[in-house]
Amino acid sequence: MRKAYPWLCWCLLILLTACEANKRTRPDFTDTPTSGSITISADISFKPVIDEQIKVFESNNPGTKINVQYKPESDCVKDLWNDSIRMVISTIALTESEKATLADSMNVVVDQLPIARDAIAVIVNPMSPDSLFDMNEIKSILTGTYSRPLIPVFDGIKTTSTIRYILDSVLRGETLNPAAVAASTSDSVINYVAQTPNAVGFIGVSWIGNPEDSKQRSFLKKVKIAYLKGNNSDEKYILPVQANLYDRKYPMTRDLTYILKETHVGLGNGFASFLRGEIGQLIFKRAYLMPGRRFFIFRPVRLNEDSI
């Protein structure tokens, strides 16, 4: 028994030392799903609706603070590898292999989910004779081969989700019109188109599609939203409204996705739950995006096209 005593003391010492080391290296989490403060990164193309989501979430959960950094999508991609950023909201979608690589590299649990469907709206000057386009005509505007010298205008001097969509899904390797203009923000695109009769703007519909928002109503007095020919061969020219996003009749749609990376169930998980829950989905619906996690009934209505 006496011989075993030193070994017992030695084992206890090792155990206590290991526990103390673990205590020193273990992060002290100060947030929960309904308390604390975190930083997230979001594509600046979706600023209006994300601002509203954060406003309502913080109002419903006093003591929480979501610090959001709005950036071009290319910078949001970099933030996936930034351990101070808990969540990225954009049109990025990781493959299973990419999710596994990120989880292993950052030592986090990665959760990815599409939460809404957005569209790229095409806007023109109110004096423009062109307000009906098919996708071949959109491509010719983007490449500079359209029948009139129209100037494409985009929302950012870096690669936003809108620019990436245009390059990857519309141009597909063809060269962008050298006369294209990169405005600093989406509202700058609207102002440029309002002042330039031959400009054609490309922006997220959440900046321009909500007639119930006073700021967007003021935008709709400056520019008009163009109609695009629907995806079906017999489809009419349509607007980027929710019913046309639901089944992707509108030709330029994209999913808005969050990528959450937390080492514990913290405020990021709480905000993610809110975004996919009933209130968050209703906010997307009111912002005229198509909710991605809830079913809403669409009833036929008479559309006053003169107000669009």
Side-chain angles (χ1 to χ4, degrees):
M1 185 66 181
R2 290 181 179 177
K3 292 182 179 180
Y5 182 73
W7 286 103
L8 181 60
C9 292
W10 180 249
C11 291
L12 288 173
L13 179 61
I14 292 175
L15 181 61
L16 290 171
T17 302
C19 289
E20 185 63 26
N22 184 60
K23 183 178 179 181
R24 289 195 302 268
T25 58
R26 186 179 65 236
D28 294 322
F29 299 119
T30 58
D31 64 291
T32 72
T34 56
S35 67
S37 173
I38 61 169
T39 300
I40 70 172
S41 175
D43 187 333
I44 194 169
S45 300
F46 299 95
K47 186 178 186 299
V49 67
I50 300 302
D51 275 349
E52 186 64 19
Q53 293 281 7
I54 292 173
K55 176 184 175 182
V56 176
F57 176 80
E58 291 179 346
S59 176
N60 289 352
N61 298 275
T64 61
K65 180 62 178 176
I66 306 290
N67 301 297
V68 57
Q69 298 177 0
Y70 289 109
K71 305 175 181 181
E73 188 178 72
S74 56
D75 289 340
C76 290
V77 173
K78 297 176 184 177
D79 283 339
L80 290 172
W81 307 96
N82 183 345
D83 57 10
S84 66
I85 301 293
R86 295 277 190 91
M87 176 188 285
V88 170
I89 303 176
S90 71
T91 62
I92 303 165
L94 301 178
T95 64
E96 289 301 317
S97 175
E98 290 169 336
K99 285 174 60 178
T101 299
L102 180 62
D104 290 343
S105 301
M106 302 296 292
N107 194 28
V108 294
V109 175
V110 177
D111 178 29
Q112 173 178 278
L113 193 70
I115 45 177
R117 183 165 297 158
D118 177 54
I120 295 176
V122 179
I123 58 174
V124 296
N125 186 279
M127 303 302 294
S128 174
D130 302 296
S131 61
L132 301 174
F133 302 104
D134 61 31
M135 286 308 296
N136 287 329
E137 291 170 323
I138 291 294
K139 182 180 288 188
S140 67
I141 293 170
L142 293 168
T143 56
T145 59
Y146 191 64
S147 57
R148 294 199 309 115
L150 299 182
I151 304 170
V153 189
F154 303 101
D155 61 342
I157 55 177
K158 288 188 177 182
T159 306
T160 63
S161 57
T162 301
I163 295 174
R164 182 176 64 83
Y165 184 93
I166 292 296
L167 295 176
D168 294 350
S169 300
V170 181
L171 290 180
R172 299 179 183 272
E174 295 190 38
T175 303
L176 180 64
N177 185 346
V181 172
S184 57
T185 61
S186 292
D187 51 357
S188 297
V189 173
I190 295 168
N191 290 329
Y192 186 92
V193 172
Q195 298 167 10
T196 312
N198 63 331
V200 178
F202 297 83
I203 58 172
V205 72
S206 65
W207 279 91
I208 196 73
N210 185 357
E212 297 175 16
D213 181 276
S214 59
K215 185 175 183 180
Q216 294 193 28
R217 283 200 305 272
S218 69
F219 288 158
L220 289 169
K221 294 177 181 178
K222 299 179 179 180
V223 299
K224 60 182 177 181
I225 302 176
Y227 288 70
L228 300 188
K229 194 172 191 307
N231 278 324
N232 299 333
S233 59
D234 58 345
E235 192 65 65
K236 299 178 180 179
Y237 288 87
I238 58 177
L239 288 169
V241 296
Q242 288 165 321
N244 294 329
L245 305 188
Y246 175 74
D247 52 7
R248 298 185 186 273
K249 286 182 180 178
Y250 187 79
M252 291 197 289
T253 60
R254 55 194 180 170
D255 287 339
L256 180 62
T257 299
Y258 72 66
I259 301 175
L260 173 66
K261 48 195 187 77
E262 281 194 326
T263 56
H264 69 296
V265 181
L267 187 55
N269 273 275
F271 187 51
S273 178
F274 176 82
L275 291 174
R276 63 178 182 263
E278 183 175 357
I279 297 176
Q281 291 291 289
L282 186 59
I283 292 171
F284 283 128
K285 180 177 181 288
R286 288 179 175 172
Y288 283 75
L289 274 68
M290 180 63 210
R293 312 313 303 177
R294 289 289 187 276
F295 293 103
F296 292 94
I297 297 173
F298 289 94
R299 295 184 174 88
V301 296
R302 184 182 180 86
L303 182 65
N304 183 6
E305 296 180 353
D306 293 335
S307 65
I308 297 176

